[in-house]
Amino acid sequence: MLNLKKQLLFASLILTAFQSYSQTNKVTLSGTMKDARNGETMMAAAVRVMELEGIGGISNEYGFYSVTVPKGKYHFVASYTGYINDTFELDLQTNSQHNFNLTARTTQLKAISIRSNRNDDNVKKAETGVEKLDMKEVSKLPVLFGEKDVLKTIQLLPGVKSAGEGNSGFFVRGGGADQNLILLDEAPVYNASHLLGFFSTFNSDAIKDVTMYKGTQPAQYGGRLASALDIRMKDGNKEAYEANGSIGLISSKLSVEGPIAKDKGSFFISGRRTYVDQFLHLSSDTLLKQSKLYFYDLNAKANYKFSKKDVVYLSGYFGRDALGVGSQFGINWGNATGTVRWNHVLNDKLFSNTSLIYSNYDYKISIGNSGTTTDITSRIRDYNFKEEMMYYPNSVHQFRFGVNSIYHELLPGEVSSSDASSSINSSKLQTRGSWENALYVSDEWKVNKKLNVNMGIRGSAFSVLGNGDFYTLNNDYKIIDTVHYNAGAIVKTYYNIEPRLTASYQLNEVSSFKIAYNRNTQNLHLVSNSTSTNPTDRWIGDNNNVKPEIADQASMGYFRNFKNNTYELSAEVYYKYMQNQIDYKNGANTLYNDAIETELRSGIGRAYGIELYAKKKFGRFTGWVSYTLSRTERKIDGINNNEWYVAKQDKTHDISLVGTYDVSKRVNVAATWVYSTGNAITFPSGKYLVDNQYVWLYTDRNGYRMPAYHRLDLGVTVKMKEHKHYSSEWVFGVYNAYGRENAYTITFQQDPDNAAKTQALQTSLFRWIPSISWNFKIK
């Protein structure tokens, strides 16, 4: 027995010594990936070691990378799609730092034969259900009124569906428009639309990176069921001052950027405004002259490098919409966000990101009557702290772990009058507070040359807080008791564990098979009768009656590239089971209701489908084809006779065709064609006579369909002759080129000639909408 113990002790010492030697015999190269032209950090750029197959790393969202290898002499190759590879030779004997500066290619024509790992990430990485947008690609696509739009572009991707004509709202794998987490520099954006959805809040000139996670979200994202859309603003040119601008038919924008101190810091400021309202002033109609119809937004960001290991970023967004008819009616709404971020490199393997984040969304409706103005206001506001660490122990594992704490403040509604003697009494719904906390950890694990795994877990706690009254309901959703909680008191806390797992198995050099499972929870809910997010939709949080929504999603897919990664093909299937889904009861009274839960019902949901995607990434002609076949259903007590019914966001078929072609170095043409099944909707199925008045009869929930939607958009970009310090281009476009009268709304009315008959009236918005804009850059 003693000999056995000695042998085990000896073996343990040998193993410890070997591990210690292995660690001391390995060294790390770390640094930052940057764009050589402007010094912008680059997310998801690849570093590989030519002498060691399968060894390398990927830069994180702040441009930091870390690669650990045995001591020796190596060639490190940095690569990124659309950029020339940068090779760095080093005899690596101790931990070292090196910043890569990548230069953009001047052409995408068959110029580079060296393969970039970045180009086959779709095959090799464990991520599934992930889409990354190239902002250069976005700028070429024709869109409504010629305004480049990130949210309109992601609606052309498989599994992402438009909420309707001209709308920036979108549905992802059966989720509602409110089930998408939209982040701008880590700050949540609660309503990402301008002018009732015809534009998004995101000025494309201010955007650097866009990543969409369709349900298979990494552990650092939480709070929404369907997707996470992570949008990062530009940092600003660190090398030189420059200005970019655009003048269009209904809007113009201007961006200015440059260094604060050479190689130390930079700034970026971008503003945009529409001016349709200015044309209204030319009208002879007095009411139109006094009307308002415009939006504006401002993006600003600055960063400063205090040392080799410390960089501080300040970023913010502010945008407002105004729509009104004289002094009779007006509505304005908008978002404000702010982020203070500190990046700190603790050592060559450990990276820290600390953020303080503020987000506010509010709207005000003003109604004028006989000189008295009545205002209705609503708001949701967040104060957010996030601490995240990224650890790169070796070439096999990349760990990410962190904590997130958010205080939510929701003001459902407040009514005030400009006249104290008005018959309308000022009143205010109870302000609701809640505290949301989360801990998470994840690991990107390269198991071997063929198998990659990304696994993580997120633990969340959502505490409902006083001050206010909370209600106890009976089985008929009637209030039977009311309890008051003081400020800061915890009414109820919901705990949830959310596992996340994705894995890819490489079948060969050009193809792989992937599987994924994850659970998401959502504690904030948008109660809305429309298919998309309207400015006046109401956000509510969990309470003692409304429970967190939960979704479990499983997916698998096949991915393959062709011709040196020029062509990309994928097929994914998914199934999602959802709990505590919320819908209105029949005949719900939602107007200024403090106990909104008495009007809501909850139940289960399911969504399933297949997504097909084919893309050509390089050459004079690029583009993609996507097709989604899907189904989204709900089963909620008290609705539709307790039977399954299709959700309002259900669209059976969804097709997108996208293509761009470089006619020459100066001329590019582009086209998009979309088709989708019409939204599910509840129409009257009949009517009956009561006291000589006809009353509509409604039967099945969402039992009817809007007409199918399809549209062709065309665009041409012409670059003018470039000068040393100045360049410009003209962009021409036609939205809905063949004039399809797509239904925006369908309403029903009695036939004026025969009251027993019913007329269905379709409203269409856009036919043959031309656009022209002039873009310029001053260097």
Side-chain angles (χ1 to χ4, degrees), residues 52-67:
L52 302 174
E53 185 179 356
I55 301 300
I58 301 292
S59 61
N60 65 17
E61 52 266 51
Y62 314 106
F64 178 81
Y65 77 91
S66 177
V67 180

Side-chain angles (χ1 to χ4, degrees), residues 214 527 779:
K214 298 182 295 187
V527 289
K779 306 174 185 178

Side-chain angles (χ1 to χ4, degrees), residues 652-779:
T652 309
H653 304 281
D654 192 81
I655 304 171
S656 296
L657 306 178
V658 179
T660 68
Y661 181 71
D662 291 325
V663 179
S664 66
K665 289 183 178 181
R666 294 174 56 187
V667 179
N668 172 271
V669 296
T672 62
W673 183 79
V674 294
Y675 171 91
S676 66
T677 304
N679 288 331
I681 195 168
T682 303
F683 283 147
S685 57
K687 60 184 179 182
Y688 53 92
L689 190 65
V690 177
D691 295 331
N692 294 320
Q693 296 290 328
Y694 283 100
V695 180
W696 300 119
L697 173 65
Y698 294 90
T699 54
D700 294 344
R701 178 69 64 97
N702 298 336
Y704 294 86
R705 292 276 180 186
M706 295 286 280
Y709 182 96
H710 54 89
R711 188 190 77 242
L712 173 68
D713 301 334
L714 302 173
V716 178
T717 302
V718 180
K719 295 182 179 180
M720 308 307 290
K721 184 178 180 181
E722 187 168 348
H723 302 275
K724 183 178 180 180
H725 298 293
Y726 171 80
S727 62
S728 66
E729 64 182 19
W730 289 92
V731 181
F732 306 90
V734 179
Y735 180 89
N736 196 13
Y738 54 74
R740 163 75 173 179
E741 293 189 61
N742 289 297
Y744 183 66
T745 61
I746 294 180
T747 57
F748 295 84
Q749 67 177 26
Q750 294 178 6
D751 189 326
D753 299 323
N754 186 348
K757 294 183 178 181
T758 301
Q759 292 180 334
L761 303 179
Q762 174 178 306
T763 300
S764 300
L765 291 181
F766 303 119
R767 295 187 68 189
W768 305 301
I769 301 297
S771 64
I772 179 172
S773 59
W774 177 59
N775 303 328
F776 63 88
K777 177 183 289 188
I778 302 173
K779 306 174 185 178

Side-chain angles (χ1 to χ4, degrees), residues 147-164:
E147 187 69 28
K148 294 176 284 186
D149 199 317
V150 169
L151 295 192
K152 295 295 194 304
T153 303
I154 67 170
Q155 293 171 15
L156 301 172
L157 300 173
V160 184
K161 303 181 180 184
S162 168

Side-chain angles (χ1 to χ4, degrees), residues 43 221 233 312 318 454 496 572 666 720:
M43 173 185 174
Y221 300 102
M233 289 167 50
V312 173
F318 182 79
N454 192 336
N496 281 286
E572 289 187 73
R666 294 174 56 187
M720 308 307 290

Side-chain angles (χ1 to χ4, degrees), residues 7-18:
Q7 290 174 5
L8 290 173
L9 179 59
F10 180 75
S12 177
L13 291 172
I14 292 295
L15 180 60
T16 302
F18 175 77

Side-chain angles (χ1 to χ4, degrees), residues 73-198:
K73 191 173 184 179
Y74 302 102
H75 291 82
F76 296 90
V77 181
S79 58
Y80 190 83
T81 300
Y83 286 73
I84 299 171
N85 292 355
D86 184 15
T87 302
F88 175 63
E89 182 181 0
L90 179 65
D91 186 2
L92 196 60
Q93 298 299 321
T94 60
N95 293 342
S96 302
Q97 289 81 40
H98 178 73
N99 296 330
F100 285 98
N101 295 287
L102 300 180
T103 302
R105 298 173 187 161
T106 56
T107 177
Q108 290 281 342
L109 305 182
K110 305 175 182 177
I112 304 296
S113 60
I114 300 175
R115 188 184 70 193
S116 163
N117 283 357
R118 177 77 169 86
N119 293 336
D120 57 8
D121 277 355
N122 63 305
V123 170
K124 292 187 175 180
K125 294 195 74 174
E127 293 177 334
T128 181
V130 178
E131 306 287 353
K132 298 181 185 295
L133 290 189
D134 182 345
M135 294 309 297
K136 293 180 181 178
E137 198 172 58
V138 171
S139 67
K140 296 178 180 179
L141 301 182
V143 289
L144 181 63
F145 300 123
E147 187 69 28
K148 294 176 284 186
D149 199 317
V150 169
L151 295 192
K152 295 295 194 304
T153 303
I154 67 170
Q155 293 171 15
L156 301 172
L157 300 173
V160 184
K161 303 181 180 184
S162 168
E165 172 75 284
N167 207 298
S168 58
F170 57 96
F171 310 134
V172 178
R173 290 188 173 179
D178 66 314
Q179 294 178 350
N180 304 308
L181 176 65
I182 302 177
L183 300 174
L184 180 62
D185 271 6
E186 302 183 82
V189 177
Y190 283 96
N191 190 308
S193 67
H194 280 310
L195 289 185
L196 303 176
F198 298 122

